Structures are given as structure tokens and as C-alpha cells.
Amino acid sequence: MPLIIDGILLCVGSYWFVTSVTSLTLFQGMSIGGGLLPAFASGLLILLVIIEIVNTFRKEKIDKAYFQKTIRDVNWKDMIPLGIGVLCLIGSWLIGLFLTLTVMLFCWLKVLSKYSWKKSAVVTVCVMAFLYGVFKLWLQLPLPQGLLGLV
């Protein structure tokens, strides 16, 4: 599993490095541009992942048994937040960021934290009202609305 995660991180880092170098400006005159920090962070990620992959190949024999062992040893409950993150990305693309975060927060409180329906609903409404007030009304940020154009 570590090699699989390293491969995914290498792809993500490479994507952001290429995107920041080709699409964003690294420098604007004498000051830094919007692409310098993503290029630095993704470049550092790529470097560290390559070091980790090399160390893994040096320490262990990589074969079918290695992957079977690592997949067997994974605690799949630890992957729930990762799955929720992927669902949030899909949800923000479909129904918008604000509604996706509302659903995610309620489900997290109800299912993972095992709060009651009432407590989950009250906390979700209060937190999302605060976030809506700060980001949408006060700062007037254009939050992603998704394909349906909601909120």
C-alpha cells in the first residue's frame, strides 16, 4: 500500500507542478507570483516521494506478495476520511461547495461521531450559518456552485 499511495502522491505533485509552472506566473516583476508557492510545494512533494520510493525499493522485495501483505494489513476504517474527501470533491462539482460541506458535516457528526439527530442538525446549522455569513455575505467570495448552480 505505501507504494500505491506514493504513486498517487507523485501523480498529484506532478500535476500541480506542471500546472503551476505552465499556467500561473512564478514572478511578477520583483515580487512572487501566484504559481511560486504551488510550484515549490509540489516540487518538494515530488522530491520527498521519490526519496521514499527509492528507500522502499532498497529495503523490501517488491512482488505480488508485498502488495497482498500491505493490502491485508490496511485498516480500512482509517480510509473513511479519504473517501469523504473524494466524495466532497465530487459533491462540490455536482451541487456546489456550500451544500456539499453542509451534508458532509451533518453526516460526519451523525455517523462517525455518533451524535444524536438533533445535536447534529443544530451544530450543522450553526456552523454553516456562520460560514455563509462570513464567506458569502461579508467577504462576498464566489463559492463554487457546481453543475446545478445551487447556493
Side-chain angles (χ1 to χ4, degrees):
M1 193 68 156
L3 277 179
I4 296 170
I5 301 296
D6 289 342
I8 292 169
L9 289 174
L10 188 62
C11 291
V12 169
S14 300
Y15 170 79
W16 283 112
F17 185 78
V18 170
T19 300
S20 61
V21 169
T22 59
S23 301
L24 303 172
T25 58
L26 299 178
F27 293 98
Q28 294 176 343
M30 293 299 291
S31 68
I32 63 172
L36 187 63
L37 185 60
F40 176 75
S42 58
L44 185 62
L45 174 66
I46 291 168
L47 178 69
L48 293 175
V49 167
I50 289 173
I51 291 170
E52 182 64 28
I53 289 172
V54 169
N55 286 339
T56 302
F57 275 106
R58 283 184 184 167
K59 290 179 185 175
E60 299 188 36
K61 180 182 176 195
I62 308 301
D63 57 0
K64 184 178 177 182
Y66 169 80
F67 288 105
Q68 289 174 340
K69 178 187 172 296
T70 54
I71 289 175
R72 188 177 48 248
D73 291 344
V74 171
N75 184 359
W76 292 102
K77 281 190 169 186
D78 293 341
M79 297 296 175
I80 290 174
L82 180 64
I84 290 171
V86 170
L87 289 175
C88 284
L89 287 173
I90 294 169
S92 64
W93 178 70
L94 288 174
I95 63 174
L97 181 65
F98 192 77
L99 291 177
T100 299
L101 290 179
T102 304
V103 171
M104 186 271 312
L105 178 60
F106 179 79
C107 291
W108 191 289
L109 291 173
K110 180 64 186 132
V111 177
L112 293 178
S113 298
K114 297 184 180 16
Y115 286 175
S116 67
W117 285 96
K118 183 180 177 183
K119 192 173 189 178
S120 298
V122 169
V123 169
T124 300
V125 167
C126 291
V127 168
M128 297 317 288
F130 174 77
L131 291 177
Y132 185 82
V134 169
F135 291 106
K136 200 73 171 160
L137 299 178
W138 181 34
L139 297 175
Q140 297 178 352
L141 292 176
L143 299 175
Q145 293 181 341
L147 292 176
L148 301 178
L150 303 172
V151 183

